[in-house]
Amino acid sequence: MEERIQKLLAEVQAFNAQTKDALEAFRLKFISRKGAVTELFEELKKVSVEEKKRLGKVLNELKQSAEAKFSSLQENIDNNTSSSSDIDLTLPPVPNKVGNLHPLTLVKNRIIEIFERLGFNVADGPEIEDDWHNFSALNFPDNHPAREMQDTFFIEKNPDLLLRTHTSNVQIRLLEKQKPPVRAIMPGRVYRNEAISARAHCFFHQVEGLYVDKNVGFADLKQTLYHFAKEMYGKDVKIRFRPSFFPFTEPSAEIDITCLICKGKGCNVCKHSGWVEIAGSGMVHPNVLKNCGIDPEEYTGFAFGMGIERVTMLKYQVNDLRLYSENDIRFLKQFQTVI
Ligand code: PHE
């Protein structure tokens, strides 16, 4: 009997179970109620008292060692299976990828912020517009080239409707329903029938500015835009006004700022002049005020229209307009905040 016990003991020690099934086989063979250990205890009852003492001791050893083996094998198996199939709740979370705002939106928001501090409200108008608000009320003569199909997208079913070519239509919409003082900026998308290239697109964005009140002069326009340029690009930026023409302003001026790509030294973007145009501007034409029922003898005003793409290009040194509408995620994810 002792020999059998020793043999089983050796077997227990050598036993290795990787799976739950193998472990169950071990349990049945050694420690279950019908297993080898129980069986030997039964046999033990039949031997003499001295033998019982000696064999009982060895048999107890076998029992303990079988039980210890069982628990350690079980622990092993539990650990292994949990690491392969269970979720490890202690792992740090994988952060969700958050999107970011489009660079044009970031810059538009910044422009709004700067003008809101000067007391400008934000106004909005339609992108599908009629001839009156986009052209006629703005003092465009009947034969103005902007009214041609090559320049403007007209709506086929109704030739009086078109995709607005500038945000100046909102000037009219605002002045028709609100009497001076009016101080507003109007961001929005505009459309022109242009071939798409690095420098031109068939749609882009503008921010219109309008200030109509008693005694508004050209100096107010200059100071407002100078303030804007410094807020947007820093105090070293220079600004210049070039005489120009728009049907709806008199006098009119185009506004240039130092080219920030070459810092005024001359490059492709500024056509080697050191200056880049960012806006058209001028004093609101008396005819425009009259068209909106405002007396030009009593009120004057200034207006400007700024290209958001232009302002953004200079801010972020982007040199191709098409990037803004191609939705290439590699381009878009580079803009987290306005720098
Ligand atoms: N609407 C003009 C343009 O699109 C810009 C402008 C706005 C000029 C207001 C003067 C005053 O070019």
Side-chain angles (χ1 to χ4, degrees):
M1 184 173 171
E2 177 163 8
E3 221 174 274
R4 272 166 52 214
I5 297 176
Q6 294 297 358
K7 223 180 122 205
L8 284 171
L9 194 61
E11 222 178 289
V12 165
Q13 269 149 13
F15 198 91
N16 195 9
Q18 305 284 3
T19 62
K20 289 200 166 149
D21 286 348
L23 183 67
E24 180 59 8
F26 178 87
R27 193 188 67 82
L28 287 174
K29 179 160 186 193
F30 295 102
I31 46 186
S32 72
R33 281 209 291 131
K34 285 180 184 157
V37 175
T38 322
E39 204 176 287
L40 284 162
F41 272 112
E42 282 300 314
E43 274 181 45
L44 196 63
K45 289 176 188 162
K46 293 173 204 152
V47 299
S48 65
V49 184
E50 278 108 88
E51 282 281 273
K52 209 180 263 178
K53 265 194 182 169
R54 199 172 53 78
L55 288 175
K57 210 174 149 218
V58 205
L59 190 52
N60 265 326
E61 260 170 48
L62 172 65
K63 189 183 173 210
Q64 277 160 15
S65 123
E67 281 167 357
K69 185 78 177 194
F70 180 79
S71 341
S72 92
L73 287 176
Q74 189 167 44
E75 205 176 302
N76 259 342
I77 288 172
D78 280 354
N79 283 347
N80 288 341
T81 44
S82 70
S83 64
S84 63
S85 69
D86 290 355
I87 299 165
D88 183 355
L89 295 172
T90 63
L91 277 177
V94 181
N96 285 336
K97 286 205 180 84
V98 208
N100 56 279
L101 293 176
H102 192 282
L104 292 177
T105 308
L106 288 170
V107 168
K108 180 189 80 178
N109 291 347
R110 177 75 185 121
I111 296 174
I112 291 175
E113 197 174 84
I114 295 170
F115 283 105
E116 270 183 339
R117 287 200 194 159
L118 296 177
F120 284 75
N121 295 322
V122 180
D124 199 10
E127 287 179 24
I128 298 179
E129 190 52 285
D130 53 31
D131 176 276
W132 170 255
H133 292 93
N134 195 80
F135 293 130
S136 297
L138 286 160
N139 202 33
F140 278 78
D142 281 345
N143 57 358
H144 192 282
R147 293 173 183 264
E148 300 282 325
M149 301 276 275
Q150 305 87 279
D151 293 312
T152 302
F153 293 113
F154 289 91
I155 308 282
E156 249 176 31
K157 282 190 180 151
N158 181 350
D160 190 48
L161 292 182
L162 47 92
L163 298 183
R164 66 172 173 192
T165 56
H166 51 184
T167 42
S168 301
N169 66 324
V170 197
Q171 284 190 36
I172 304 299
R173 297 212 163 253
L174 207 60
L175 291 176
E176 278 174 345
K177 64 172 201 278
Q178 191 187 329
K179 293 302 149 213
V182 171
R183 189 156 43 181
I185 50 162
M186 307 141 233
R189 181 175 284 186
V190 303
Y191 302 84
R192 286 184 199 174
N193 193 357
E194 303 236 20
I196 297 171
S197 72
R199 303 182 135 261
H201 213 292
C202 57
F203 68 83
F204 54 98
H205 299 79
Q206 289 186 330
V207 178
E208 192 84 3
L210 177 69
Y211 179 26
V212 180
D213 201 353
K214 288 178 178 152
N215 298 319
V216 177
F218 202 90
D220 299 307
L221 168 65
K222 277 174 90 174
Q223 185 54 38
T224 305
L225 284 159
Y226 183 44
H227 172 81
F228 164 77
K230 281 197 299 180
E231 285 292 303
M232 192 74 191
Y233 298 111
K235 62 178 178 7
D236 293 335
V237 73
K238 290 201 185 74
I239 180 167
R240 79 176 182 187
F241 287 72
R242 265 184 302 113
S244 184
F245 174 81
F246 299 102
F248 39 96
T249 47
E250 181 59 36
S252 306
E254 256 152 31
I255 300 159
D256 299 340
I257 65 161
T258 331
C259 176
L260 293 156
I261 310 233
C262 62
K263 305 265 178 298
K265 287 191 201 81
C267 67
N268 284 341
V269 172
C270 61
K271 296 190 200 123
H272 301 280
S273 69
W275 295 95
V276 188
E277 185 197 323
I278 58 159
S281 70
M283 299 308 293
V284 180
H285 197 290
N287 287 350
V288 173
L289 294 175
K290 270 190 232 159
N291 286 338
C292 301
I294 294 165
D295 180 2
E297 297 297 327
E298 192 181 356
Y299 292 104
T300 50
F302 70 69
F304 59 85
M306 200 166 350
I308 303 187
E309 274 81 354
R310 229 3 123 65
V311 177
T312 311
M313 274 179 143
L314 291 173
K315 187 93 206 160
Y316 292 120
Q317 332 257 295
V318 176
N319 57 11
D320 191 331
L321 259 185
R322 291 168 292 197
L323 290 166
Y324 293 123
S325 49
E326 278 169 352
N327 284 340
D328 187 332
I329 206 94
R330 290 167 303 175
F331 171 73
L332 295 174
K333 73 179 178 193
Q334 297 176 51
F335 307 93
Q336 305 297 337
T337 46
V338 178
I339 31 169

